[in-house]
Amino acid sequence: MEVEVKFRLPNKSSHQKLLSLLSQLHITTLYQLNVFVDGSAYELSSQRAVLLLRLYEQPRTPQCVICLKAKPVLADGVSHIEMEYEEPDPAIFKACLDDPQKLMLVESRVLRKVKEEFGVKRFVGLGGFRNVRNVYKWKGVKLEVDEAKYEFGEMYEVECETSEPERVKKMIEQFFTENGIEYSYSVMSKFAVFQAGKLPS
């Protein structure tokens, strides 16, 4: 179970202001290509699950993640989601990006679960989005500031994985308020936004 605090920033101006405030605490910037996959009969999404293929596009050390996310709950800025993932060879990502059905041939604990527990017989690609993630070490936690780039617009979020969501949420809210950062609680996952085909109002 992954537990995250999730805030939405209203615009690029707020996003840039936050990056500037956190600049001295910067750890790394990650460039992600995210592609969603389902069964041909939507076996995953009909059971509140999705398969995510993520490529970290660092030129020297590309990294790939296959991730099964299921049973998401997002309320009052706190997200709970069941998650399993593996890190296969990045070459698998590139091959399956052109032909998702090749995932049927990949040896993987996560994919075996998808096939056996969800009954997927054929994979189809749904599309995806790019994300620029700036990571910061802040007051004992890791803040991830995202710029998600969909075909229909850009969305800005701050995420923090934690075992103490209420405490961390208050810390971040106080920081935002003291520094004049506009924010709201995230109300949709990035996959839900992708499915909707438009940014949350």
Side-chain angles (χ1 to χ4, degrees), residues 37-51 67-72 82-84 104 109-123:
V37 177
D38 203 341
S40 57
Y42 301 102
E43 294 92 339
L44 292 171
S45 53
S46 66
Q47 298 180 68
R48 300 178 62 233
V50 66
L51 189 65
C67 182
L68 175 64
K69 298 187 174 188
K71 300 178 182 177
E82 294 180 10
M83 189 170 73
E84 291 187 49
M104 295 298 294
R109 171 180 50 80
V110 172
L111 293 175
R112 186 163 57 248
K113 179 173 182 174
V114 168
K115 290 182 279 189
E116 293 176 356
E117 295 189 17
F118 291 87
V120 172
K121 302 264 190 308
R122 182 173 182 81
F123 287 108

Side-chain angles (χ1 to χ4, degrees), residues 5-59:
V5 176
K6 297 169 74 83
F7 295 94
R8 185 178 174 209
L9 304 176
N11 50 46
K12 191 171 188 68
S13 176
S14 294
H15 172 257
Q16 291 298 316
K17 183 175 182 179
L18 180 59
L19 295 190
S20 178
L21 284 167
L22 294 171
S23 61
Q24 298 300 314
L25 306 174
H26 185 260
I27 300 173
T28 187
T29 300
L30 303 172
Y31 297 89
Q32 305 169 341
L33 174 58
N34 300 281
V35 176
F36 299 111
V37 177
D38 203 341
S40 57
Y42 301 102
E43 294 92 339
L44 292 171
S45 53
S46 66
Q47 298 180 68
R48 300 178 62 233
V50 66
L51 189 65
L52 171 67
L53 303 184
R54 172 175 288 165
L55 180 67
Y56 292 90
E57 298 181 290
Q58 284 70 247

